[in-house]
């Protein structure tokens, strides 16, 4: 069985989070690494509320066959400062 790995490569429909280190990069560029880089690059929610980013993924082009499953991996750090709950979700949408 073949495995195809897709990582963010473009801005999605929503860019509400704050990029870190914030040196002019797009948000997706702070979450596209193959190996997690710790706290070197990331996106964060700078204000209270339900904010989110969406990211574009590349289309697969030459791969053929039946898709038997999809697995989404994401890494999140929760730092609520003891003030309440924090949550993180990963969601996939297709066809706009």
């Amino acid at each position: 069985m073949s495995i195809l790995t897709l990582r963010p490569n473009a801005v999605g429909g929503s860019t509400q989070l704050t990029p870190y280190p914030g040196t002019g990069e797009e948000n997706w560029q702070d979450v596209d690494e193959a190996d997690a880089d710790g706290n070197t690059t990331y996106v964060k929610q700078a204000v209270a509320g339900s904010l989110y980013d969406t990211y574009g993924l590349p289309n697969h082009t030459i791969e053929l066959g039946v898709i038997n499953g999809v697995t989404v991996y994401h890494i999140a750090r929760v730092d609520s400062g003891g003030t309440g709950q924090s949550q993180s979700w990963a969601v996939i949408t297709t066809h706009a």
Side-chain angles (χ1 to χ4, degrees):
M1 175 171 58
S2 296
I3 296 176
L4 173 64
T5 301
L6 303 174
R7 292 186 180 82
N9 71 340
V11 174
S14 177
T15 305
Q16 298 176 351
L17 300 177
T18 302
Y20 180 87
T23 54
E25 73 278 10
E26 299 284 349
N27 288 18
W28 68 267
Q29 292 173 306
D30 287 335
V31 299
D32 67 338
E33 61 270 355
D35 295 313
D37 64 8
N39 289 329
T40 304
T41 62
Y42 55 88
V43 293
K44 63 183 179 178
Q45 185 166 317
V47 297
S50 296
L51 303 177
Y52 64 94
D53 275 2
T54 59
Y55 308 112
L57 296 173
N59 288 324
H60 67 88
T61 55
I62 60 171
E63 303 81 20
L64 299 173
V66 175
I67 297 173
N68 293 314
V70 174
T71 303
V72 177
Y73 295 99
H74 81 281
I75 296 173
R77 185 181 90 181
V78 175
D79 185 6
S80 65
T83 60
Q85 276 188 311
S86 295
Q87 300 174 342
S88 175
W89 293 277
V91 178
I92 293 179
T93 60
T94 61
H95 307 289

